[in-house]
């Protein structure tokens, strides 16, 4: 029976990998400049027309890699936070990370970093200034919550409420900044807030990869600790887990990979909510399998959402954050209703 349990989840992982490959291939082929599968494979090998090679390597492939990495990071972060805080609604979005990043980016813009006007369009002049401020804003929320938890002994439930409070504070400060911004600055802030996977290039993808891989390795190594902590502090303490220390490290690492992703692509919500819960419903909450399956499903969901955003109203490209919000809002309401019904 145990072999069947493991085999089912292993097959699911390979199935998700295959779906990611198929969607990636479809995404490489489709767009304003359509390519056949043969042209795509030739372009990947550096052969074929110059236009095809440029389209694949400089436009579509970096975007696909970004979707896979950001989706995996957000899903991993959501799965871990839901376990250590024992709350199905815990995600990077509800912990204030995304709102902190928005505040940081808005602050950078009003200070004159990063954006300029060119031929009536808002263009990125110095993107890394905004990335740095967005990253610091995202991490600030987590540092405040973790510090309060350590100094005041906040419970997991109180940490969630602290995240909601930090989100409200950052939203208020962002609104205040926008009130004093001029038209160009305000347009730049709104533009940045749209989740856009077209911003990262190979360097940014590499930074996200280097941030994600060690974090994934840490949580895979601590999968049994996550299982125990998700059940309860008493159970975790009984098997030797330093619960408070583990919770703090996990919260910081979850916020870190989210902050790196959000700083480069803008606000993309609900992936950290949808992917872990879908895996729990289908395969249970065992973190040995929940972590890898959630990361794969997160990658697949964001890749599908971005492909839809590119093609639905082509040549106009929708912000992928809008698509994920349409998916996530009903899921969030469903979980709230389910939680109330379980009382």
């Amino acid at each position: 029976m145990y072999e069947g349990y493991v085999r089912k989840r292993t097959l699911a992982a390979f199935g998700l990998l295959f779906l990611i490959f198929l969607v990636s291939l479809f995404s490489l082929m489709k767009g304003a400049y359509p390519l056949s599968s043969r042209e795509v494979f030739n372009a990947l090998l550096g052969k074929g027309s110059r236009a095809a090679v440029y389209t694949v390597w400089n436009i579509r492939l970096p975007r696909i890699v970004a979707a896979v990495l950001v989706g995996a990071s957000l899903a991993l972060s959501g799965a871990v936070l839901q376990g250590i805080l024992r709350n199905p609604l815990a995600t990077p979005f509800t912990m204030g990370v995304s709102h902190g990043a928005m505040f940081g980016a808005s602050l950078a813009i009003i200070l004159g970093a990063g954006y300029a006007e060119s031929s009536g369009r808002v263009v990125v002049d110095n993107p890394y200034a905004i990335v740095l401020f967005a990253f610091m804003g995202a991490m600030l929320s987590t540092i405040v919550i973790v510090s309060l938890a350590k100094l005041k002994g906040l419970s997991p439930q109180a940490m969630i409420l602290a995240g909601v409070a930090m989100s409200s504070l950052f939203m208020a400060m962002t609104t205040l900044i926008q009130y004093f911004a001029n038209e160009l600055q305000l347009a730049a802030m709104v533009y940045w807030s749209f989740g856009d996977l077209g911003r990262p290039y190979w360097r940014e993808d590499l930074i996200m990869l280097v941030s994600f891989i060690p974090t994934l390795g840490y949580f895979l190594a601590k999968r049994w600790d996550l299982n125990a902590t998700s059940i309860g502090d008493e159970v975790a303490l009984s098997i030797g887990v330093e619960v408070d220390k583990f919770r703090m490290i996990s919260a910081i690492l979850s916020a870190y990979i989210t902050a790196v992703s959000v700083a480069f692509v803008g606000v993309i919500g609900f992936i950290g909510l949808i992917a872990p819960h879908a895996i729990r419903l289908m395969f249970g909450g065992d973190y040995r399998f929940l972590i890898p399956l959630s990361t794969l499903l997160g990658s697949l969901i964001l890749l599908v959402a971005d492909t839809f955003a590119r093609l639905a109203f082509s040549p106009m490209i929708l912000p992928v954050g809008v698509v994920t919000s349409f998916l996530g809002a009903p899921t969030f309401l469903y979980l709230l209703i389910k939680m109330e019904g379980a009382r």
Side-chain angles (χ1 to χ4, degrees), residues 228-314:
T229 306
S230 65
I231 296 172
D233 289 0
E234 297 80 7
V235 174
L237 288 168
S238 69
I239 63 171
V241 179
E242 298 179 68
V243 176
D244 290 338
K245 180 180 178 181
F246 178 63
R247 184 174 286 127
M248 296 302 105
I249 293 173
S250 298
I252 291 171
L253 287 177
S254 298
Y256 169 69
I257 57 173
T258 302
V260 172
S261 299
V262 171
F264 283 124
V265 304
V267 179
I268 298 177
F270 294 110
I271 297 295
L273 181 72
I274 299 171
H277 278 292
I279 296 300
R280 282 193 180 91
L281 288 173
M282 292 185 287
F283 302 106
D286 188 342
Y287 271 88
R288 294 177 300 164
F289 306 103
L290 180 63
I291 289 175
L293 290 176
S294 293
T295 57
L296 290 172
L297 183 58
S299 296
L300 179 63
I301 291 173
L302 189 54
L303 186 56
V304 170
D306 185 58
T307 303
F308 175 83
R310 284 198 308 112
L311 301 178
F313 299 97
S314 182

Side-chain angles (χ1 to χ4, degrees), residues 12-25:
F14 281 110
L16 287 171
L17 281 171
F18 183 64
L19 287 174
I20 290 172
F21 170 77
L22 289 181
V23 176
S24 298
L25 179 59

Side-chain angles (χ1 to χ4, degrees), residues 57-343:
W57 281 100
N58 292 64
I59 299 176
R60 294 180 187 170
L61 194 56
R63 189 183 187 108
I64 290 169
V65 173
V68 170
L69 290 172
V70 172
S73 297
L74 296 178
L76 174 62
S77 182
V80 169
L81 288 173
Q82 289 158 21
I84 62 173
L85 300 178
R86 299 195 300 278
N87 190 313
L89 301 181
T91 67
F93 199 77
T94 56
M95 289 294 287
V97 176
S98 298
H99 295 97
M102 180 63 203
F103 166 71
S106 299
L107 183 61
I109 291 167
I110 203 168
L111 292 176
Y115 279 85
E117 189 172 11
S118 176
S119 302
R121 296 177 59 202
V122 177
V123 297
V124 180
D125 184 30
N126 182 12
Y128 278 96
I130 295 178
V131 166
L132 178 62
F133 273 75
F135 176 78
M136 291 190 297
M139 290 302 297
L140 179 61
S141 175
T142 302
I143 291 171
V144 170
I145 295 171
V146 168
S147 299
L148 286 173
K150 187 173 183 179
L151 295 174
K152 301 298 182 180
L154 296 183
S155 66
Q157 291 75 19
M159 290 177 69
I160 291 288
L161 294 176
V164 174
M166 290 301 299
S167 295
S168 298
L169 177 61
F170 281 128
M171 286 178 64
M173 291 192 295
T174 301
T175 302
L176 182 63
I177 289 175
Q178 291 175 344
Y179 182 80
F180 290 103
N182 60 38
E183 292 182 2
L184 176 61
Q185 290 170 335
L186 184 59
M189 293 174 195
V190 173
Y191 170 75
W192 187 91
S193 68
F194 294 153
D196 182 7
L197 292 170
R199 296 175 199 167
Y201 194 57
W202 289 115
R203 180 188 299 175
E204 291 77 15
D205 287 346
L206 180 60
I207 293 172
M208 289 191 285
L209 178 65
V210 170
S211 301
F212 172 73
I213 293 297
T215 306
L216 175 63
Y218 173 81
F219 287 127
L220 286 174
K222 295 291 185 179
R223 56 194 181 277
W224 289 109
D225 292 356
L226 282 166
N227 276 335
T229 306
S230 65
I231 296 172
D233 289 0
E234 297 80 7
V235 174
L237 288 168
S238 69
I239 63 171
V241 179
E242 298 179 68
V243 176
D244 290 338
K245 180 180 178 181
F246 178 63
R247 184 174 286 127
M248 296 302 105
I249 293 173
S250 298
I252 291 171
L253 287 177
S254 298
Y256 169 69
I257 57 173
T258 302
V260 172
S261 299
V262 171
F264 283 124
V265 304
V267 179
I268 298 177
F270 294 110
I271 297 295
L273 181 72
I274 299 171
H277 278 292
I279 296 300
R280 282 193 180 91
L281 288 173
M282 292 185 287
F283 302 106
D286 188 342
Y287 271 88
R288 294 177 300 164
F289 306 103
L290 180 63
I291 289 175
L293 290 176
S294 293
T295 57
L296 290 172
L297 183 58
S299 296
L300 179 63
I301 291 173
L302 189 54
L303 186 56
V304 170
D306 185 58
T307 303
F308 175 83
R310 284 198 308 112
L311 301 178
F313 299 97
S314 182
M316 182 178 70
I317 300 176
L318 291 175
V320 69
V322 173
V323 180
T324 59
S325 294
F326 272 114
L327 292 173
T331 305
F332 193 86
L333 292 174
Y334 166 76
L335 291 172
L336 281 175
I337 294 170
K338 187 176 180 181
M339 287 173 62
E340 289 297 321
R343 291 183 178 180

